[in-house]
Amino acid sequence: MKEFAKYLARRYSVVNAEDVDAVSNNQHNQLDNACSQGDKRKSLRATRSVNASGILNSFFNERSSNKNARSPKCAFLLLSLGILAICAAVFVKIFHPYDLIFKWKLTMSEGGEIFNLWAKPPVDLYLKVYLFNITNAAAFMEGREKMHVEQVGPYVYKEIMTHENITFNENNTMSTNPSHPLVWQEHLSEGHSEDDEVVMLNIAMLAISHLTADKPFFIRMGLNTLFASQDSKPIVRMTAKEFMFGYATTLTSLGNTFLPGWIYFDKVGLVDRMMDFNNDYETFHTGVPDTSISGLYATYRGSPNLPQWDGDHCSNIENASDGTKFPSFIQPNDTIKFFRKSMCRPVTLHRADDEVIPKGSLSGYRYIFEDNLLDNGRVNEKNQCFCRKGYCQPVGLVDVTDCYYGFPISLSFPHFMDGDPRLYTDITGLEPNKEKHSSEFIVEPQSGLPLSLSVKVQINMHFRDLSAYSRVKRFSHLTVPMLWFEITLPELPDSLDSRFNFYLNILPWIEPVGFWAGLVFGLALLLYAVTRATMRLTYLSKTGQSLEVNYARANLLQAATNGVYNPCEMKLLHTNEKNNILLRNAGHESDVLYNELQHTALTPKHQGAKRGSLALELEPAISNTDTSSSSDEGNESDTATLTISRNSTPSCSDDGETNNDSFISKSYASDDDEQSTAGISLNSCRNSIVESHGRVPGQN
């Protein structure tokens, strides 16, 4: 039957229900004209066309009903998707998955991304060294002039900073041996070479003199004799590399031989000693359970406090950074700590201003050294713990003798910037400059990633009374600058910048976008599903389409089994739009019976009604007598239900034959709501027909 319907659709060139309605109206008009003219052949042909349009209408209704049957499933699916989207949005709002993932990323674990970056940072870290070349050594030693120095450099080295032999401990820390080898960078040294000759201090001679200046007379006499025999001079000429990384002297060899507890090396070089990390071991936090301190110091050489200082303010290095990683989730007003062995003390950093500094794709806060960092307690009383053995050096110096093997080494800012004015009046040639000699740290606050570094520190030799030695007494109570260095990280490499740009600038937007998208999408789906279901139920309740859907296939089967209606019968069925007259031809009654029933069942008020839908669509509802009567209860119009038997070859002739008897029942409601039911046998109908035509239908 479905293939037959498709054939009819191609024949009548219809593709949807609207096209079927147009064809049906045209065929109905042709049927009306044929019946009014009494042309049996045209009426039969028109009737078949009407029935074909009915089959097509049933086919399209069935296809539409199948589509509508899927509507509840689609609504349920949309409803489920909407609920899931809203649940996902609520999950994002409550648990903040970005924060969870980011904190997990910051935790140090073997093989983890941040751990690998910390263990061997893929950055370009440089050490720039500037030497103070003494230009008037002879005049100074003769006491005719103040010492005059000239800055020479830079001598640039790349620092390969690594953490080796990493071991994870049970207390959420990891132990490591630091390594900082240097690689010469000639192309960055601005024309300077390691073979440049410079005039510098004889560190070994001056250090031994300073250490023994208050010793017994016979020790000092022996050293004076040694200085004379070796013709040792406090100011010597050497190459830049020898001064930085060591040169062999007789005094160093004697010290290594007779004072093994003092020094263990054969040559003395300031940069070499500054970068000496042999036998050092450090412990860092892994970030469990506090991710903000991952990668920060837990202990140095087994203790959170440095042995050379008293009190936590001067000695405690816990949660300080070695420059690889700073604290995470830094608040705008937080201070941070920095520690390097070359500085021999923890340094407190505070934010310089409220400006956010862009560096590549990222941005960070600018940090500088705290005010009065090197005042030794004259301004900040807490700094009195930096006064070694009760002796406080001038403002601008910090005594780090214990970190440099007993050598009288003091640290300051380059060119004695922010130091006591006497420091740079006793030495000529120094030009302190805030822009050139200030340090700064640009730190990304969420991750603690250093975006750039510029740490500038000067190494000096600070002497007390050396009058016991004639060769070095000119240096008594003098602070001589030897070099200043800058540890610099200009910028992050492109690969690291791109990676953290994704983590810090792109991923954070996924969470709010995901929340609002899930919420809006979920609410839209819920609203659409509820609206669609509501409109569908309203439509079904108004049109009663559920009954039409169930009867669609029955129409097709009945039309195929019983054939087509005769033209007069079609005319009779389509005279009433309200379906108050419902006909079922269960047998093979002739068309004469239909003509008789027209005068019996139809009232004048039915004659003006609009023609209804096709007979094939009305026929299944004929058997539902109860439904029809109940639905029309209370109406003023009469309702008749007729059951008629017809033969398989209908016609409009008056001499039709009847083969079977049928029972015709009529129920109606009077104007005063009283109901009565009457049964009319088919014999009485036959009698009426005999009176009119002179013979009983069905007889020859």
Side-chain angles (χ1 to χ4, degrees):
M1 180 58 68
K2 185 177 295 185
E3 295 298 328
F4 178 64
K6 292 180 179 179
Y7 163 76
L8 292 177
R10 290 194 300 269
R11 177 180 177 183
Y12 289 97
S13 300
V14 296
V15 294
N16 51 38
E18 288 74 9
D19 296 338
V20 175
D21 291 339
V23 172
S24 178
N25 291 333
N26 184 35
Q27 300 301 331
H28 275 293
N29 293 332
Q30 294 181 8
L31 178 61
D32 291 342
N33 295 332
C35 289
S36 60
Q37 296 174 6
D39 190 334
K40 295 182 179 180
R41 181 172 296 178
K42 288 184 179 180
S43 64
L44 181 59
R45 187 164 50 251
T47 300
R48 291 175 180 172
S49 298
V50 168
N51 279 276
S53 64
I55 294 174
L56 285 174
N57 200 4
S58 299
F59 170 72
F60 281 106
N61 284 340
E62 182 179 10
R63 189 169 65 178
S64 177
S65 66
N66 291 336
K67 181 178 179 182
N68 293 331
R70 295 192 298 267
S71 180
K73 295 181 180 179
C74 294
F76 177 76
L77 180 59
L78 294 176
L79 187 67
S80 301
L81 290 176
I83 294 175
L84 287 176
I86 293 176
C87 291
V90 172
F91 175 84
V92 169
K93 189 67 174 179
I94 295 177
F95 295 101
H96 300 287
Y98 169 76
D99 292 342
L100 297 177
I101 295 173
F102 189 67
K103 289 180 179 180
W104 169 71
K105 278 282 189 182
L106 290 176
T107 303
M108 298 287 182
S109 59
E110 189 169 4
E113 183 177 12
I114 298 298
F115 170 78
N116 291 333
L117 294 176
W118 172 85
K120 190 175 182 179
V123 297
D124 297 326
L125 188 65
Y126 297 100
L127 176 69
K128 296 182 178 180
V129 181
Y130 298 85
L131 303 181
F132 289 105
N133 181 47
I134 301 173
T135 61
N136 62 340
F140 169 75
M141 292 303 296
E142 294 173 359
R144 294 183 288 109
E145 297 178 1
K146 291 181 179 180
M147 182 182 291
H148 182 83
V149 296
E150 179 186 15
Q151 177 178 296
V152 180
Y155 300 93
V156 183
Y157 298 86
K158 185 173 183 179
E159 181 178 346
I160 311 299
M161 184 178 182
T162 59
H163 299 92
E164 300 178 349
N165 303 321
I166 301 173
T167 303
F168 285 89
N169 306 315
E170 295 181 356
N171 61 345
N172 297 322
T173 61
M174 49 189 178
S175 301
T176 179
N177 298 117
S179 177
H180 300 258
L182 299 176
V183 180
W184 168 247
Q185 304 290 303
E186 184 175 5
H187 64 287
L188 298 176
S189 299
E190 300 179 7
H192 295 283
S193 170
E194 290 181 305
D195 297 328
D196 292 343
E197 285 192 352
V198 291
V199 178
M200 306 295 294
L201 296 182
N202 187 338
I203 298 175
M205 180 181 179
L206 290 169
I208 292 175
S209 300
H210 184 270
L211 286 173
T212 60
D214 57 352
K215 299 301 180 183
F217 173 76
F218 68 90
I219 295 178
R220 290 186 277 114
M221 185 180 66
L223 283 175
N224 273 320
T225 304
L226 180 63
F227 293 157
S229 63
Q230 295 291 326
D231 193 21
S232 298
K233 296 179 180 180
I235 299 177
V236 294
R237 183 178 295 273
M238 65 189 76
T239 65
K241 184 177 182 179
E242 287 176 336
F243 180 77
M244 290 185 290
F245 294 97
Y247 58 96
T249 66
T250 304
L251 292 178
T252 306
S253 300
L254 289 174
N256 187 24
T257 303
F258 296 103
L259 299 172
W262 175 39
I263 58 176
Y264 59 87
F265 40 86
D266 295 327
K267 54 185 181 178
V268 177
L270 280 185
V271 175
D272 182 64
R273 295 302 92 203
M274 182 179 70
M275 304 301 293
D276 178 25
F277 290 88
N278 290 331
N279 301 321
D280 281 1
Y281 58 95
E282 303 168 337
T283 304
F284 295 86
H285 293 288
T286 61
V288 179
D290 186 2
T291 54
S292 65
I293 61 174
S294 66
L296 304 183
Y297 273 105
T299 64
Y300 176 74
R301 291 188 174 181
S303 174
N305 297 305
L306 301 175
Q308 61 268 24
W309 310 114
D310 296 326
D312 288 346
H313 176 74
C314 294
S315 65
N316 189 271
I317 54 91
E318 190 173 12
N319 297 336
S321 170
D322 65 349
T324 307
K325 181 188 175 299
F326 288 87
S328 306
F329 311 110
I330 302 174
Q331 299 302 313
N333 296 325
D334 287 349
T335 59
I336 58 180
K337 287 200 296 187
F338 174 72
F339 172 72
R340 284 285 291 248
K341 178 185 177 179
S342 58
M343 300 183 68
C344 195
R345 56 164 289 182
V347 178
T348 302
L349 310 176
H350 67 86
R351 191 172 175 185
D353 46 47
D354 295 333
E355 187 179 0
V356 178
I357 310 300
K359 284 288 184 179
S361 301
L362 305 175
S363 58
Y365 299 158
R366 178 191 286 114
Y367 287 87
I368 59 176
F369 292 138
E370 65 178 343
D371 296 335
N372 304 311
L373 179 68
L374 306 176
D375 73 331
N376 292 325
R378 295 188 181 183
V379 178
N380 184 0
E381 293 183 358
K382 293 182 178 180
N383 287 341
Q384 288 184 356
C385 53
F386 290 116
C387 296
R388 182 174 174 267
K389 296 181 179 181
Y391 173 70
C392 295
Q393 295 184 353
V395 175
L397 297 177
V398 58
D399 191 346
V400 293
T401 299
D402 294 330
C403 294
Y404 286 84
Y405 315 101
F407 297 169
I409 302 297
S410 295
L411 300 182
S412 69
F413 296 139
H415 291 251
F416 295 126
M417 184 185 68
D418 295 336
D420 192 312
R422 290 178 300 177
L423 295 174
Y424 48 84
T425 56
D426 292 340
I427 306 293
T428 61
L430 298 176
E431 298 177 354
N433 187 300
K434 283 281 187 181
E435 294 183 0
K436 294 181 179 180
H437 303 140
S438 296
S439 301
E440 72 172 15
F441 303 73
I442 308 298
V443 181
E444 201 288 317
Q446 291 300 111
S447 63
L449 181 71
L451 305 182
S452 71
L453 296 176
S454 179
V455 185
K456 301 171 183 178
V457 178
Q458 181 171 299
I459 298 179
N460 316 281
M461 292 194 78
H462 176 76
F463 303 106
R464 298 172 74 175
D465 186 9
L466 298 178
S467 59
Y469 299 101
S470 59
R471 288 179 176 263
V472 297
K473 64 180 180 180
R474 187 74 176 88
F475 292 89
S476 295
H477 307 289
L478 186 67
T479 302
V480 181
M482 292 185 291
L483 63 84
W484 71 273
F485 64 88
E486 177 186 9
I487 301 173
T488 176
L489 171 66
E491 60 184 4
L492 294 179
D494 293 339
S495 59
L496 200 59
D497 181 82
S498 300
R499 185 187 308 181
F500 277 87
N501 177 50
F502 176 74
Y503 292 154
L504 299 171
N505 295 335
I506 298 177
L507 280 182
W509 286 101
I510 295 179
E511 184 172 307
V513 169
F515 168 74
W516 288 110
L519 186 62
V520 172
F521 182 68
L523 291 176
L525 287 179
L526 286 179
L527 182 62
Y528 179 75
V530 172
T531 303
R532 180 171 179 173
T534 303
M535 294 179 64
R536 179 63 184 162
L537 292 175
T538 303
Y539 176 76
L540 291 176
S541 63
K542 287 183 178 181
T543 62
Q545 187 171 351
S546 58
L547 293 177
E548 296 179 13
V549 171
N550 293 332
Y551 294 148
R553 287 194 175 92
N555 284 330
L556 294 174
L557 294 175
Q558 201 164 13
T561 303
N562 297 332
V564 296
Y565 293 95
N566 60 58
C568 295
E569 184 177 306
M570 288 295 297
K571 176 66 177 177
L572 175 63
L573 289 175
H574 288 288
T575 54
N576 193 346
E577 171 68 16
K578 195 177 178 182
N579 299 337
N580 285 335
I581 303 297
L582 303 177
L583 303 178
R584 177 179 293 277
N585 195 348
H588 302 279
E589 296 298 331
S590 65
D591 297 334
V592 178
L593 183 56
Y594 282 100
N595 295 330
E596 290 293 322
L597 292 176
Q598 284 181 345
H599 299 286
T600 306
L602 296 179
T603 60
K605 62 183 177 181
H606 296 130
Q607 302 296 329
K610 183 182 177 181
R611 183 174 70 249
S613 56
L614 300 177
L616 285 174
E617 293 175 329
L618 295 174
E619 188 174 6
I622 296 173
S623 61
N624 195 347
T625 312
D626 297 336
T627 304
S628 301
S629 61
S630 62
S631 62
D632 292 336
E633 184 177 354
N635 296 339
E636 295 180 0
S637 60
D638 294 339
T639 300
T641 301
L642 307 179
T643 302
I644 305 171
S645 178
R646 62 181 175 84
N647 54 29
S648 57
T649 56
S651 65
C652 284
S653 62
D654 293 337
D655 58 349
E657 297 180 357
T658 60
N659 297 325
N660 298 313
D661 291 344
S662 299
F663 178 80
I664 304 173
S665 62
K666 176 182 179 184
S667 60
Y668 57 92
S670 62
D671 293 338
D672 57 355
D673 293 337
E674 292 181 358
Q675 297 182 0
S676 61
T677 303
I680 307 174
S681 66
L682 188 58
N683 292 329
S684 59
C685 293
R686 288 178 176 175
N687 294 334
S688 301
I689 294 173
V690 168
E691 293 177 359
S692 302
H693 298 278
R695 62 183 179 86
V696 178
Q699 294 179 355
N700 294 327

